[in-house]
């Protein structure tokens, strides 16, 4: 682990603040967007010396990125090497550009991320996510593993036959995978007589879907995977905009921050820091980024945090799993919910294999919660499902049984790089 990760909280804070001040000066000099922001709000970045001062700077929103995308560019266009886009989960994808220094930073970020999860030079890692389609993550994994010196098998997304053929050929001990795809790999192995429990795989670095709850226990999806396949699951959290990964260590008590690469805040509705353990919106400032750095970027993700030494020896802040997106908050029959609450309950109810969760407005402009499932449930099973929702969430959504074809068309909208389990149709 790097020296900063085991430093005192006070020393980590000092190093972060120095990096933040460097980034402020860089933005003042090079960013058209932030120059204008500082001018409008009469901000002299040299006077930003405390967290209280930092609060004078308004947060940057996803809408800002969409509307003024080119104004965030801080280097000459001829210096740009890689062009990627965000996933567009909550709107149109946003362009993101990287120069040589940013690609090197991305490699360092992922190398350190894999080290946090325990991967070493000499390990072999199979990447089951796409390296194309303007997707930053697959490329980041490749660059990080290459810098680490680990062996890399680039199978890409889908194709369970190719995944198992590669495991048999090259004997990787780690997978990088979306958790729900691990279930598809297990299903394929069972259907094709593959003794997956005796494979070389010992752990999976999981992306894109939460594996744990707010108490860091495996959620329904995580439990379902490990009950079928005795491998260790590591959660990660990242986004294109942050260009930084937050990763679990072997103790699985939160995703470690890399403090020299990102400055983090967790804020309440009024923009004030929440206390340890309380839920707020994650706001990040990317450090050491040259091409499109972001200052106080509101991610929209709701998390809590821990700021105490971990059993692994790292003294870095740790983030909880993402509870949901700020904009995805649901108020249903007086109960506050996030999509993951509903998804966990459905996954726990083992008989449902294919589903999508939809929220929309009813005729009185109240949130209406609908779950479409492909199973044809008996009256008894429907009653059991309703009781399960009532016990776990204290409310029962409307359940609608439809075809697999309809669900798959909803889950895989045109242009999406990953299945969508939650659709917000509230306008």
């Amino acid at each position: 682990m790097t020296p900063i990760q085991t430093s005192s909280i006070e020393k980590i804070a000092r190093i972060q603040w120095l990096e933040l001040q460097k980034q402020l000066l860089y933005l003042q000099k090079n960013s058209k967007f932030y120059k204008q922001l500082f001018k409008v709000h009469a901000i002299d970045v040299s006077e930003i010396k405390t967290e209280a001062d930092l609060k004078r700077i308004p947060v940057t929103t996803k809408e800002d990125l969409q509307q003024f995308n080119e104004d965030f560019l801080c280097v000459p266009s001829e210096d740009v090497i890689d062009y990627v886009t965000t996933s567009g989960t909550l709107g149109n994808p946003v362009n993101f550009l990287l120069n040589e220094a940013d690609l090197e930073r991305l490699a360092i970020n992922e190398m350190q991320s894999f080290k946090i999860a325990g991967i070493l030079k000499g390990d072999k890692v199979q990447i089951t996510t796409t390296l194309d389609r303007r997707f930053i993550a697959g490329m980041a994994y490749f660059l990080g593993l290459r810098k680490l010196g680990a062996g890399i098998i680039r199978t890409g997304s889908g194709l369970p036959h190719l995944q198992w053929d590669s495991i048999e050929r090259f004997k990787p001990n780690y997978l990088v995978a979306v958790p729900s795809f691990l279930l598809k790999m297990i299903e394929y192995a069972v259907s094709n007589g593959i003794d997956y429990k005796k494979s070389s795989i010992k752990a999976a670095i999981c992306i894109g879907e939460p594996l744990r709850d707010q108490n860091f226990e495996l959620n329904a999806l995580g439990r379902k995977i490990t009950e079928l396949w005795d491998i260790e699951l590591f959660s990660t959290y990242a986004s294109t905009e942050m260009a930084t990964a937050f990763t679990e260590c072997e103790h699985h008590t939160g995703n470690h921050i890399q403090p020299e690469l990102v400055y983090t805040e967790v804020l309440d509705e009024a923009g004030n820091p929440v206390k340890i353990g309380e839920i707020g919106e994650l706001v990040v400032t990317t450090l050491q980024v040259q091409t499109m750095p972001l200052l106080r970027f509101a991610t929209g993700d709701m998390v809590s945090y821990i700021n105490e030494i971990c059993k692994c020896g790292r003294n870095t802040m740790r983030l909880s799993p993402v509870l949901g997106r700020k904009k995805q908050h649901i108020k249903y029959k007086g109960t506050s919910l996030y999509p993951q609450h509903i998804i966990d309950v459905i996954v726990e109810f083992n008989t449902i294999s294919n589903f999508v969760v939809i929220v929309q407005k009813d005729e009185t402009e109240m949130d209406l919660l609908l779950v479409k499932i492909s199973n044809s449930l008996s009256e008894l099973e429907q009653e059991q499902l309703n009781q399960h929702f009532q016990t776990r969430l204290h409310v029962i959504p409307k359940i609608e049984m439809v075809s697999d074809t309809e669900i798959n068309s909803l889950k895989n909208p045109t242009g999406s790089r990953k299945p969508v389990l939650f659709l917000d149709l509230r306008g």
Side-chain angles (χ1 to χ4, degrees):
M1 61 188 75
T2 62
I4 187 174
Q5 293 173 354
T6 55
S7 299
S8 68
I9 290 176
E10 293 74 20
K11 184 174 181 181
I12 290 172
R14 286 198 301 272
I15 292 171
Q16 274 203 308
W17 196 256
L18 286 172
E19 290 292 344
L20 177 64
Q21 289 178 311
K22 287 181 192 175
Q23 200 72 314
L24 286 170
L25 292 170
Y26 181 82
L27 291 168
Q28 174 71 74
K29 181 180 179 181
N30 298 290
S31 172
K32 181 178 178 180
F33 177 84
Y34 287 111
K35 282 181 186 178
Q36 179 64 19
L37 184 76
F38 297 153
K39 181 179 179 181
V40 168
H41 294 274
I43 293 167
D44 180 350
V45 297
S46 66
E47 295 177 355
I48 304 296
K49 299 184 182 299
T50 66
E51 289 187 6
D53 296 333
L54 187 64
K55 282 179 60 180
R56 293 170 47 207
I57 303 174
V59 298
T60 299
T61 66
K62 291 178 184 285
E63 290 74 20
D64 291 330
L65 275 175
Q66 289 172 333
Q67 189 174 355
F68 306 107
N69 192 238
E70 293 182 2
D71 291 349
F72 285 87
L73 185 65
C74 293
V75 302
S77 58
E78 59 267 27
D79 288 351
V80 175
I81 292 176
D82 199 65
Y83 298 79
V84 299
T85 55
T86 62
S87 60
T89 303
L90 294 179
N92 292 326
V94 173
N95 298 339
F96 247 82
L97 317 180
L98 300 92
N99 68 358
E100 178 62 36
D102 291 337
L103 287 171
E104 175 64 13
R105 176 192 174 282
L106 193 65
I108 292 170
N109 158 75
E110 289 299 335
M111 176 188 70
Q112 293 179 177
S113 175
F114 284 124
K115 282 184 175 181
I116 290 171
I119 297 177
L120 304 171
K121 180 180 173 67
D123 285 322
K124 286 185 279 186
V125 184
Q126 186 159 311
I127 304 176
T128 74
T129 61
T130 183
L131 273 72
D132 55 12
R133 300 177 68 184
R134 307 187 314 223
F135 189 44
I136 194 173
M139 177 186 63
Y141 303 139
F142 175 78
L143 292 175
L145 290 168
R146 181 171 179 260
K147 196 165 192 68
L148 179 59
I152 310 166
I153 300 103
R154 296 179 290 108
T155 52
S157 59
L159 305 173
H161 171 73
L162 179 63
Q163 305 298 343
W164 284 113
D165 179 74
S166 300
I167 290 169
E168 177 62 28
R169 285 173 182 269
F170 303 115
K171 304 293 188 296
N173 45 349
Y174 286 89
L175 295 174
V176 175
V178 174
S180 55
F181 183 64
L182 295 175
L183 291 175
K184 292 186 183 299
M185 287 183 62
I186 293 169
E187 182 181 351
Y188 182 90
V190 171
S191 298
N192 291 273
I194 298 170
D195 191 357
Y196 66 93
K197 293 183 180 180
K198 291 186 179 179
S199 74
S200 58
I201 301 299
K202 70 175 187 178
I205 312 300
C206 294
I207 68 165
E209 296 170 343
L211 281 174
R212 300 186 185 277
D213 59 26
Q214 296 299 297
N215 297 317
F216 306 117
E217 299 294 331
L218 285 172
N219 63 15
L221 178 58
R223 291 196 304 272
K224 193 170 186 178
I225 294 166
T226 53
E227 285 166 4
L228 294 169
W229 197 2
D230 185 22
I231 60 174
E232 191 171 6
L233 303 179
F234 289 87
S235 292
T236 65
Y237 164 62
S239 73
T240 303
E241 298 97 328
M242 294 188 296
T244 314
F246 304 76
T247 306
E248 282 185 332
C249 70
E250 69 271 21
H251 297 286
H252 305 287
T253 53
N255 295 334
H256 284 274
I257 285 172
Q258 299 191 48
E260 71 276 33
L261 300 180
V262 65
Y263 182 88
T264 55
E265 305 170 76
V266 183
L267 306 179
D268 63 18
E269 287 282 353
N272 298 313
V274 302
K275 296 177 182 177
I276 290 174
E278 292 181 347
I279 294 169
E281 181 180 12
L282 180 66
V283 173
V284 301
T285 298
T286 53
L287 306 176
Q288 301 185 37
V289 171
Q290 292 186 8
T291 309
M292 293 182 73
L294 296 176
L295 173 61
R296 304 200 77 210
F297 174 68
T299 65
D301 292 330
M302 306 302 288
V303 301
S304 60
Y305 71 95
I306 297 173
N307 208 6
E308 60 186 32
I309 193 165
C310 179
K311 291 178 182 177
C312 71
R314 293 178 179 87
N315 214 6
T316 48
M317 181 190 290
R318 284 167 280 152
L319 297 181
S320 73
V322 175
L323 184 62
R325 302 270 188 167
K326 186 176 182 179
K327 288 186 176 180
Q328 291 177 338
H329 179 258
I330 303 163
K331 192 77 169 181
Y332 183 62
K333 296 182 179 179
T335 299
S336 289
L337 300 169
Y338 284 99
Q340 195 59 42
H341 289 137
I342 305 147
I343 292 168
D344 283 348
V345 172
I346 298 169
V347 174
E348 286 172 354
F349 198 77
N350 285 322
T351 59
I352 297 176
S353 58
N354 199 9
F355 67 92
V356 64
V357 178
I358 299 171
V359 64
Q360 56 197 35
K361 292 292 186 183
D362 65 15
E363 63 276 4
T364 63
E365 289 299 301
M366 302 294 286
D367 288 350
L368 176 64
L369 191 56
L370 170 66
V371 178
K372 293 194 176 193
I373 64 175
S374 63
N375 303 62
S376 181
L377 300 181
S378 67
E379 286 188 17
L380 176 60
E381 287 172 325
Q382 288 184 58
E383 180 59 30
Q384 289 172 336
L385 179 57
N386 288 344
Q387 289 177 359
H388 190 50
F389 271 110
Q390 183 65 46
T391 300
R392 293 281 275 104
L393 302 182
H394 309 296
V395 289
I396 302 171
K398 181 180 178 183
I399 308 294
E400 187 176 318
M401 286 170 273
V402 299
S403 68
D404 259 333
T405 302
E406 180 177 338
I407 291 176
N408 290 335
S409 67
L410 291 169
K411 284 172 59 177
N412 299 285
T414 302
S416 177
R417 293 191 291 230
K418 54 189 177 183
V420 178
L421 296 181
F422 174 74
L423 298 174
D424 193 337
L425 306 181
R426 290 176 290 188

